Structure formats: C-alpha cells, structure tokens
Amino acid sequence: VPWFLLTILLSGCCGAGPARDTALPSSVVRAHAAALRREYKFAIVEVPPFVVVGGGPATEVRAYAREVVAWSYAALQRELFDHHPSRPIELWALRTPGSYAAWADEAIGSSPGSPYGEYVPCARAIIVDRSMGDGTLVHEMVHVLVEVDFPSAPTWLNEGLASLYERPGRRAGRIVGLDNWRGAALRRHLRHHRPDLRALMGTSRASFYGDHRARHYATARYLMLFLQQRGELRAFYHAMRDRGLDGPAAIEQAARLPLARFQRAWRSFVLRGRDPQTKRAAEAMPPRLTFYRG
Ligand SMILES: [Zn+2]
C-alpha cells in the first residue's frame, strides 16, 4: 500500500476521530451501545463519548459509569480540554485479572501490554482491570482527550498529563493529581543527579519509551504536578497547544521564571516529598475511585 494511502487508512480507522467542540450526541453513542448489547451479555451503559461494557451486576456497572467514568470525564474537560471525540469509545471495565485477560482480544484485538489497562486507538477502546483500582481508567481517558484536543502533543506531555491524573483526587470540586508511587524513585534519582527538565522535554516518542522510560514518566508526572501546585498547569498546556511554544518556552511563560530557576524550585518540591494536601484530597474522593500502582 502506498504510504499516503496508509496514512489515510490509519487516520480514517484509528482513534477518536476529528475533534468536536461539543459533546458527541447521545444518539450516536446509543446506536453503538445497542449494537454491543446485541452481541454481548455484559451490562452496557452510555456515558458519552464512552460506552461502558462492564463486568458484574448491572447496578454496580451503572454506579461505576456515573460516579467514576462520568465524573472523571467531566472534571478533566473542565480542567484542561476543549474538544470531544467524534466517535464512541468503548470502555471495557472488567472485574478480575482473569476476565481482563479473557476479554482483551474481543475489546482491543490483542493481549494488553499492561496488567492495569490500555487505550488502543485503532480499536477505539479502553480496557481496564478494575480490581487494580480506577486510576488506570483516568490515565487512559486523558490519552483519548489529548488525542482530540492536542493531536501533535509530544509524548512526554501526553504521558505526563495521563500519569498526573492516574492518582486522582477531588479538591473544591476539581480533579487534581496527587503524589504517587512514581515519586520515590525520582527522589532517589534527584539526590544523586542533576535534574534535566530540558532533556525530558526534548525526548521523542521513541526515546521517551526507551531505556529510561520509568524515569521519564516520573519526571514528566512531577513536572505536571508542580505546575498544578503552582496553579500554572492550564496556562502551560494552553501555551503549548495554542501558541505552539515548546516545553521550556511554555514553562517560562506560564511560570514567569527562567527555566533554570524553575528547575531548582521543582527539584526542591520533589525532594520535599509528599504533598501535604494529598491525604485530605484523597479522603474527599468518592469511595469507588480507588488508586493503583501502575
Ligand atoms: Zn499512558
């Protein structure tokens, strides 16, 4: 197949479709849900743009759809994003590692690359194992939103935002990312090495997912967490998305600091350790939104 046809095929078949300014009409989601109901015995609940395919009793799946899926999606939209998918996204939420593995092929057309969950654009589906907590769901949901809101976002930004919200909390009705397990290894690293945010923000997709991927995730996540804590995450994201600034320039504009000074402050923030507000915000979460390590 010639490359240009391949490009058309790929962009035509994969992903959440062209961005919309308004939410996907519920009629489109309803039609997709009806087709799934004819095929599967699962409880199926519409939460535009998602169709939740849930393991377990229907009442529980409905509560999950309303309290976890709908709340997280709306809160993420309010926080950062201005666009919606134009195609329904299936959200397969299984309840055990066994059913997660058994239904992966049906849901995403392959074995999942992670025991927690995955978004596969070409399948237009997210699959998660709910027994690992609900953080993965929010992580993968961010990938769907970044895909339509900022299609050319660099990988470090996409994964930084996704992993920021993988341990979500609620503060004054807003979704926030909280300190999580990725911080410990980053603190160990920063005690013995100079921080290099510029290097992180220079990574390509391949180098981000390369040899130092764990540190790249942690650095990107804690960069987003620090911007969030300073109240500058939104300005930073919009400077990159709307003004075409690269990471360092967007930081300098949002934080009104030279990158070197910002980086010193970031390093102290990370080394100080746990965000004192974490415990309180975590307690304020709906009980169903639990957290995971991955
Ligand atoms: Zn991710």
Side-chain angles (χ1 to χ4, degrees):
V1 183
W3 67 267
F4 60 89
L5 270 185
L6 201 62
T7 309
I8 292 167
L9 281 171
L10 285 175
S11 61
C13 301
C14 292
R20 293 175 51 94
D21 293 334
T22 54
L24 189 59
S26 49
S27 58
V28 178
V29 181
R30 200 173 308 135
H32 193 84
L36 289 173
R37 279 191 197 101
R38 283 194 291 276
E39 213 170 329
Y40 302 108
K41 290 191 161 52
F42 285 111
I44 290 169
V45 184
E46 298 145 35
V47 184
F50 300 102
V51 179
V52 179
V53 182
T59 48
E60 189 193 301
V61 176
R62 276 198 295 274
Y64 170 77
R66 190 177 58 242
E67 290 165 26
V68 178
V69 181
W71 186 81
S72 308
Y73 185 74
L76 287 169
Q77 281 287 7
R78 274 198 304 277
E79 204 57 35
L80 285 180
F81 305 106
D82 299 303
H83 300 93
H84 298 264
S86 53
R87 291 169 171 161
I89 307 289
E90 294 174 13
L91 200 174
W92 291 66
L94 286 319
R95 289 208 304 174
T96 63
S99 58
Y100 174 76
W103 286 96
D105 207 47
E106 202 72 31
I108 56 171
S110 61
S111 305
S114 141
Y116 304 104
E118 196 169 352
Y119 167 50
V120 178
C122 287
R124 289 197 289 282
I126 292 172
I127 186 170
V128 291
D129 175 3
R130 289 188 53 204
S131 69
M132 304 300 239
D134 291 326
T136 313
L137 163 74
V138 187
H139 180 120
E140 304 305 331
M141 205 182 256
V142 171
H143 286 320
V144 174
L145 283 165
V146 170
E147 182 192 317
V148 291
D149 195 67
F150 187 5
S152 62
T155 300
W156 61 265
L157 176 66
N158 194 350
E159 292 294 2
L161 289 171
S163 50
L164 171 66
Y165 292 113
E166 78 197 355
R167 191 177 174 206
R170 181 147 64 179
R171 203 175 280 162
R174 291 168 65 179
I175 192 167
V176 291
L178 305 173
D179 189 50
N180 81 346
W181 63 277
R182 294 189 201 268
L186 182 61
R187 284 189 277 278
R188 276 196 303 279
H189 180 80
L190 286 179
R191 277 187 207 109
H192 304 289
H193 300 85
R194 296 172 64 81
D196 198 345
L197 291 176
R198 197 178 285 278
L200 171 82
M201 293 184 278
T203 53
S204 64
R205 181 183 171 84
S207 57
F208 182 90
Y209 292 129
D211 288 345
H212 304 293
R213 71 182 263 151
R215 193 166 75 240
H216 291 154
Y217 272 96
T219 307
R221 181 181 202 273
Y222 278 78
L223 171 58
M224 301 304 146
L225 189 67
F226 187 47
L227 286 162
Q228 170 192 277
Q229 200 241 13
R230 292 171 57 100
E232 293 159 354
L233 181 62
R234 191 183 170 84
F236 163 77
Y237 176 73
H238 287 178
M240 288 195 70
R241 187 194 66 180
D242 302 337
R243 311 188 61 169
L245 300 185
D246 66 6
I251 285 179
E252 293 192 336
Q253 183 171 95
R256 296 173 302 276
L257 279 179
L259 186 63
R261 276 188 58 199
F262 177 89
Q263 179 165 271
R264 281 198 294 279
W266 174 78
R267 180 177 183 274
S268 327
F269 165 78
V270 176
L271 289 178
R272 268 201 306 279
R274 303 183 72 81
D275 171 4
Q277 287 182 298
T278 289
K279 194 160 175 285
R280 215 175 60 218
E283 284 164 357
M285 282 312 290
R288 280 170 196 282
L289 200 48
T290 51
F291 308 122
Y292 82 112
R293 271 180 53 89

